[in-house]
Amino acid sequence: RVWRRAARLVRSVAQWTRARLAAAIDARTTRARTFCAARAFYRFALGAASERDSMRAGGLVRPLHGAILRPIVAATALATIIMGAAFGRETKRLPAAGKRWAGQLGKKLSPIEAYVPMRKHPQLFESLLRDEWLADTVRDLVAAARNGTRHLDLVEEAPGVYSFELFTPAFADAFLDEVDAYAESGLPVRRPNSMNNYGLIVNEIGMKQALTELQREILWPVARLLWPTHGSAFHDHHSFMVRYRPDEDAGLDMHTDDSDVTFNVCLGKEFTGAGLTFCGMGGHQDHRQFAFQYKHVKGRAVVHLGTKRHGADDIISGDRRNLIIWNHNNAWRLSDAYR
């Protein structure tokens, strides 16, 4: 009797797996890795009875009774992982099915874990320091900064405002593709900050580790060269995407950032207007005085202190997307000079 129940359970799992793979292969939109999808199910297979009940409610598998059957389900799921890797690392999925699945996973997993099976560009979550993604001059620029020298591509746009080419168009396109995929996944999205209404916090979709590596290897040496006190060390960051469109957030009033050093990288897309206007330093007499208007260039980062007052000019047409990294230096914030 036990083995008959085990056989029925294995058949149910196999049918569930085939249905998921078939839906993925037949779909025509965004990609997801079969390997990660199977791994997500593997987590369910090793889970508690409450997780089993949630799947049983959808008619997917029969309930588990006793510890004997649980290893069978786990082994079947593990075989699915191997099979998924053998048939190919990427498949396609239906958006509606993906949203339903994300909702099911989100009940038991964090948004970061739930999004793993739906990632379009998994390399973005591993490292951003790929040669095909970094601009040709970045590594030389960083090496010069570590030696205390300012590279020719690190341009002083105005007093206290610098820019340099950071990313290639290929990176910008892949990053925006990933951000849009997450927005369509049905998983929770928080506003990037208290000012912008459109965008998302990329730390919260699984990219914090990759961005921390970028901060340590690329951003920090540049910041330390330009502002030895504010950039003496970076201990954390708040990284997010913002989006400007004529019918959404058209612009942003003058403000300062909750940041010690800010890196603002334009990733596209096509737009007119939507420049960046700078005034003086917050708390200084010239804090309301116009200083400079910066024109965004795809892949180029503009760098300034968080206390430098600035605002986003209204966009006239198109769609502007920017990756913004607010870098935090705890030692600076605890100093008498900061207070």
Side-chain angles (χ1 to χ4, degrees):
R1 182 178 178 181
V2 170
W3 289 111
R4 284 198 300 271
R5 186 177 298 166
R8 288 197 299 269
L9 179 61
V10 170
R11 284 197 298 270
S12 297
V13 172
Q15 292 171 359
W16 183 90
T17 302
R18 285 197 298 270
R20 287 294 180 188
L21 291 175
I25 292 171
D26 292 341
R28 297 181 180 179
T29 55
T30 57
R31 297 179 181 178
R33 289 187 300 175
T34 306
F35 176 85
C36 292
R39 186 172 63 184
F41 178 72
Y42 186 55
R43 290 175 61 91
F44 279 127
L46 297 179
S50 60
E51 294 174 333
R52 196 85 322 98
D53 291 340
S54 69
M55 289 194 293
R56 180 166 56 88
L60 297 176
V61 297
R62 295 176 63 84
L64 288 180
H65 297 289
I68 297 176
L69 301 183
R70 211 174 268 176
I72 297 174
V73 179
T76 305
L78 185 59
T80 305
I81 294 175
I82 298 172
M83 180 179 65
F87 283 126
R89 300 183 66 183
E90 294 183 344
T91 58
K92 297 180 179 180
R93 65 175 177 85
L94 289 168
K99 289 183 179 181
R100 289 195 299 270
W101 199 12
Q104 293 172 1
L105 292 177
K107 295 176 182 177
K108 299 298 179 183
L109 306 177
S110 69
I112 290 176
E113 292 173 316
Y115 184 60
V116 168
M118 294 177 279
R119 291 175 178 174
K120 297 190 67 176
H121 304 278
Q123 303 93 331
L124 288 171
F125 300 83
E126 298 165 1
S127 176
L128 306 185
L129 305 185
R130 302 167 69 92
D131 289 339
E132 63 268 29
W133 287 347
L134 291 178
D136 294 338
T137 58
V138 166
R139 297 192 187 278
D140 291 339
L141 185 148
V142 171
R146 291 183 184 277
N147 292 326
T149 305
R150 201 177 91 195
H151 192 275
L152 291 177
D153 191 48
L154 184 54
V155 178
E156 185 176 18
E157 302 282 357
V161 181
Y162 300 84
S163 75
F164 66 97
E165 190 177 4
L166 178 55
F167 291 124
T168 63
F171 170 84
D173 295 342
F175 201 92
L176 291 184
D177 197 29
E178 192 68 61
V179 168
D180 289 341
Y182 184 88
E184 296 172 359
S185 70
L187 291 167
V189 176
R190 284 204 305 149
R191 290 175 56 186
N193 53 59
S194 61
M195 300 172 288
N196 291 92
N197 296 302
Y198 298 91
L200 59 80
I201 302 171
V202 293
N203 287 358
E204 296 182 353
I205 71 172
M207 291 187 178
K208 185 166 186 177
Q209 183 176 350
L211 285 162
T212 298
E213 181 189 35
L214 177 74
Q215 179 193 57
R216 181 181 64 250
E217 301 297 331
I218 305 294
L219 309 186
W220 174 56
V222 174
R224 184 178 56 177
L225 172 71
L226 299 177
W227 299 283
T229 302
H230 299 72
S232 61
F234 284 160
H235 301 97
D236 200 3
H237 61 86
H238 177 62
S239 301
F240 55 93
M241 288 292 301
V242 295
R243 185 176 77 205
Y244 294 96
R245 291 176 178 171
D247 59 339
E248 295 179 347
D249 283 341
L252 193 63
D253 291 338
M254 301 299 294
H255 63 278
T256 58
D257 296 336
D258 182 16
S259 165
D260 298 313
V261 182
T262 296
F263 286 75
N264 184 341
V265 192
C266 180
L267 300 183
K269 301 182 178 179
E270 299 293 331
F271 58 90
T272 58
L276 195 60
T277 294
F278 287 92
C279 291
M281 300 294 293
H284 292 203
Q285 291 184 349
D286 65 346
H287 73 286
R288 294 186 181 276
Q289 183 177 341
F290 171 83
F292 171 70
Q293 186 178 49
Y294 175 80
K295 183 178 180 180
H296 286 289
V297 178
K298 185 175 181 178
R300 197 167 184 89
V302 58
V303 192
H304 57 86
L305 293 178
T307 51
K308 184 76 170 175
R309 293 190 75 244
H310 58 284
D313 304 330
D314 284 351
I315 190 170
I316 298 173
S317 64
D319 180 356
R320 175 164 77 82
R321 309 284 191 91
N322 282 56
L323 170 63
I324 299 176
I325 304 173
W326 287 355
N327 299 279
H328 300 148
N329 181 349
N330 295 341
W332 161 245
R333 294 188 173 207
L334 293 173
S335 68
D336 292 336
Y338 178 83
R339 292 193 290 267

